[in-house]
Amino acid sequence: KAGVTQTPRYLIKTRGQQVTLSCSPISGHRSVSWYQQTPGQGLQFLFEYFSETQRNKGNFPGRFSGRQFSNSRSEMNVSTLELGDSALYLCASSLDADRGTGIQYFGAGTRLSVL
Amino acid sequence: AQSVTQLGSHVSVSEGALVLLRCNYSSSVPPYLFWYVQYPNQGLQLLLKYTTGATLVKGINGFEAEFKKSETSFHLTKPSAHMSDAAEYFCAAVDGGYQKVTFGTGTKLQVIP
């Protein structure tokens, strides 16, 4: 069974641009969560999608948005990029039965560098 | 709001020595607790989890953790460190019913040959 797949693995953008990151969950997983990992702030929860609906949201500005498609694949978008958005963005998926338990499986991440 | 504290951002142990990584959580209601490991340029891998039941939890690669409600702790241990254990370790917690996971700041484990 394939794991969580995130594309692209590396991305370089400049300030003011926007970026879209993609996440394909494990087959059968309908919950997808996104996290930002930086050396200064550690791992911070961005949002969770389940059945195409955003269920939980972290404390990030509106420049960070996401969506989920009917096949459970998810995309995350960051508009008007700032230098501080440089980070590793991790996606995690979980089974319906595990929602609410925190049990989830992570992808390898997308490393975003903003210049 | 839930918070997770990991004592020591860097820990060094000799190969074959005991590994002890400390984690404390803040919730008055015991949450679900996890330890994850992250190798360079990779995502997080679940080491072990505590949901309910037995307070001593065994995970992969010889790691285990003990949930102590009275101390609000969930420390990770391994009797004998191996070079391949060098990585960053994250303690995490989630309040039941939600999927929003709160992570500690991580502890980088160095294993000295």
Side-chain angles (χ1 to χ4, degrees), chain A residues 9-10 31 33 35 37 43 45 48 56-57 88 90 94 98-104 106-108 111, chain B residues 32 34 36 38 41-46 49 51 88 90 94-101 103-105:
Chain A
R9 288 294 312 278
Y10 301 92
S31 172
S33 297
Y35 296 84
Q37 185 178 22
L43 276 151
F45 174 81
E48 184 218 356
N56 289 292
K57 190 176 188 304
L88 180 66
L90 292 166
S94 59
D98 287 335
R99 285 195 74 244
T101 68
I103 296 172
Q104 53 197 314
F106 284 82
R111 172 82 57 191
Chain B
Y32 297 133
F34 308 84
Y36 285 91
Q38 185 178 35
N41 297 316
Q42 294 187 28
L44 277 71
Q45 181 182 5
L46 182 65
K49 61 183 184 290
T51 52
E88 190 160 18
F90 292 90
V94 62
D95 292 324
Y98 298 92
Q99 199 66 354
K100 179 180 175 181
V101 180
F103 285 89
T105 51

Side-chain angles (χ1 to χ4, degrees), chain B residues 56-77:
Chain B
L56 182 63
V57 180
K58 293 187 185 300
I60 62 172
N61 302 338
F63 284 94
E64 61 182 38
E66 186 171 10
F67 170 67
K68 291 187 176 180
K69 183 179 176 181
S70 61
E71 298 177 8
T72 61
S73 68
F74 190 58
H75 302 330
L76 181 71
T77 60

Side-chain angles (χ1 to χ4, degrees), chain A residues 12-107:
Chain A
I12 299 175
K13 292 286 187 179
T14 56
R15 277 182 300 174
Q17 286 187 311
Q18 76 166 20
V19 67
T20 299
L21 313 181
S22 179
C23 172
S24 294
I26 293 171
S27 177
H29 289 196
R30 292 193 295 167
S31 172
V32 174
S33 297
W34 288 89
Y35 296 84
Q36 181 195 64
Q37 185 178 22
T38 60
Q41 299 297 318
L43 276 151
Q44 293 186 289
F45 174 81
L46 280 156
F47 29 65
E48 184 218 356
Y49 284 86
F50 179 75
S51 289
E52 302 179 63
T53 302
Q54 188 181 89
R55 299 290 181 165
N56 289 292
K57 190 176 188 304
N59 298 321
F60 278 82
R63 299 185 298 108
F64 292 82
S65 63
R67 60 177 174 169
Q68 187 179 34
F69 302 95
S70 58
N71 62 358
S72 296
R73 189 177 72 84
S74 177
E75 288 182 347
M76 191 193 91
N77 185 274
V78 187
S79 63
T80 319
L81 283 165
E82 300 177 0
L83 293 178
D85 297 333
S86 295
L88 180 66
Y89 290 88
L90 292 166
C91 167
S93 73
S94 59
L95 283 166
D96 293 7
D98 287 335
R99 285 195 74 244
T101 68
I103 296 172
Q104 53 197 314
Y105 301 87
F106 284 82

